[in-house]
Amino acid sequence: VIHLHDLYPQTAIDLGILRNRWMIGLMRWVERVAYRNSGKIIAAAPATLEILKAYPGLGEGHVTFVDNYVNLSHCGGADRGAAFRERLEVRNEFVILYAGLMGHAQDMKVILECARLCAHRSDWRFVLAGDGARSEEVRLAAGELSNVQFLGCLPTEEYFAALQACDVALVTLDPALTVPAVPGKVPTIMASGKPFVAAVPEGNDTRQVAARSEGGLIVKAGSPAELAEALSLLYENPGLREKMGAKGKLFAEEHCALKGALVKFERALEFVSRNTPASRQVPIPET
């Protein structure tokens, strides 16, 4: 059983990491072998499900969908948030949190440019927590921005405390990405009762999640001006933040709970175990 979050090699191609046509051909072959020899594929984004349904060689029922999931028991605790704000020496500031990987797929530039545009907002603080291939590059690019604070990679408990401490959480993806995958942080943000603003490309399923849940705002990928405008809207409307946070939390409880996901995974495993005899020899597809 393949639990598929990201479409590779397409992600690496979109980001310009994979360019050699022979390597692309090899990776496409590996992709075909993996998909066709799986008993079932579980997609974490609705558009990924549709892409795989049309994939050559995959029969009907080979692909199923399970929302990104989160352990809801980790996501509560307003007291933890208050303690974390105290640690950050934040009182009444508007805390905008990016927490997660700082890699090639995540657009950190749009956050820094937005912070520059909002430098006049003396009570705004952009908190960037995480690590990754581009984390040092991001720190250097931030320069002397006084409204940006870096925390590094947080332990699990502190990560959830940071979510409770923030007013708004950010989700940003590189504008070049064509794959629809929903970042895993999205259900965690919603389950924590916080609104999010997502700067993601057209076709990314985070847009659909925001619309279905009413827990987030979507802006154009790579647009610091639109990001600043959305943050200003939430800053000026505490009631809207509270309403969006509550709706996102309800959506996460109904669609993204770990307990419900486990049931779906168990069904997939049972299906494969019933329909794939141990003695079966799975042929490798020709290129």
Side-chain angles (χ1 to χ4, degrees):
V1 175
I2 297 176
H3 185 208
L4 193 66
H5 276 256
D6 297 301
L7 292 172
Y8 282 96
Q10 191 59 51
T11 295
I13 295 169
D14 288 348
L15 295 172
I17 297 169
L18 190 59
R19 300 178 182 179
N20 183 286
R21 65 188 184 94
W22 297 105
M23 285 300 298
I24 291 173
L26 175 62
M27 291 299 100
R28 291 289 190 202
W29 178 81
V30 171
E31 179 185 56
R32 287 197 299 274
V33 170
Y35 288 178
R36 293 180 185 179
N37 285 280
S38 63
K40 188 173 277 289
I41 302 173
I42 298 174
T48 299
L49 178 68
E50 297 307 313
I51 289 170
L52 293 177
K53 282 182 177 179
Y55 196 90
L58 298 184
E60 187 177 351
H62 194 100
V63 187
T64 190
F65 169 71
V66 178
D67 272 299
N68 274 329
Y69 56 88
V70 61
N71 189 334
L72 299 174
S73 65
H74 291 165
C75 298
D79 291 344
R80 288 188 301 174
F84 201 86
R85 287 180 74 95
E86 188 173 325
R87 170 186 157 184
L88 294 179
E89 299 181 355
V90 171
R91 288 181 173 82
N92 297 318
E93 288 179 79
F94 184 60
V95 176
I96 303 151
L97 175 70
Y98 175 88
L101 186 64
M102 299 182 189
H104 295 285
Q106 293 74 37
D107 186 3
M108 305 305 297
K109 181 181 177 181
V110 73
I111 299 175
L112 298 182
E113 291 303 316
C114 178
R116 286 191 177 91
L117 287 177
C118 301
H120 63 288
R121 301 274 199 176
S122 59
D123 58 345
W124 285 27
R125 187 182 302 196
F126 290 80
V127 177
L128 309 186
D131 206 346
R134 299 178 65 187
S135 57
E136 189 58 34
E137 175 189 330
V138 176
R139 286 176 179 270
L140 291 172
E144 299 300 318
L145 283 171
S146 60
N147 58 348
V148 175
Q149 180 175 359
F150 288 90
L151 297 183
C153 192
L154 298 175
T156 301
E157 281 301 311
E158 291 194 21
Y159 167 66
F160 287 105
L163 283 172
Q164 288 298 325
C166 78
D167 294 290
V168 181
L170 297 179
V171 180
T172 60
L173 293 176
D174 192 290
L177 280 174
T178 63
V179 294
V182 179
K185 63 170 67 70
V186 173
T188 307
I189 293 167
M190 292 193 297
S192 298
K194 299 296 178 175
F196 66 89
V197 179
V200 296
E202 294 285 345
N204 184 271
D205 270 338
T206 306
R207 291 172 172 265
Q208 186 183 130
V209 171
R212 288 168 61 203
S213 67
E214 299 182 63
L217 298 177
I218 299 295
V219 300
K220 182 181 177 182
S223 175
E226 286 195 19
L227 181 56
E229 186 178 345
L231 290 172
S232 294
L233 175 66
L234 292 174
Y235 169 72
E236 293 162 5
N237 294 276
L240 178 60
R241 296 201 305 267
E242 185 176 347
K243 182 179 179 181
M244 290 175 62
K247 287 193 172 185
K249 185 173 184 178
L250 181 62
F251 181 89
E253 290 170 350
E254 291 179 349
H255 298 277
C256 307
L258 174 61
K259 184 176 180 181
L262 287 174
V263 172
K264 295 174 183 177
F265 277 110
E266 186 176 24
R267 287 173 183 164
L269 291 167
E270 287 177 346
F271 172 85
V272 173
S273 67
R274 288 196 305 268
N275 292 279
T276 309
S279 60
R280 175 185 168 195
Q281 296 296 312
V282 182
I284 301 298
E286 296 181 3
T287 57

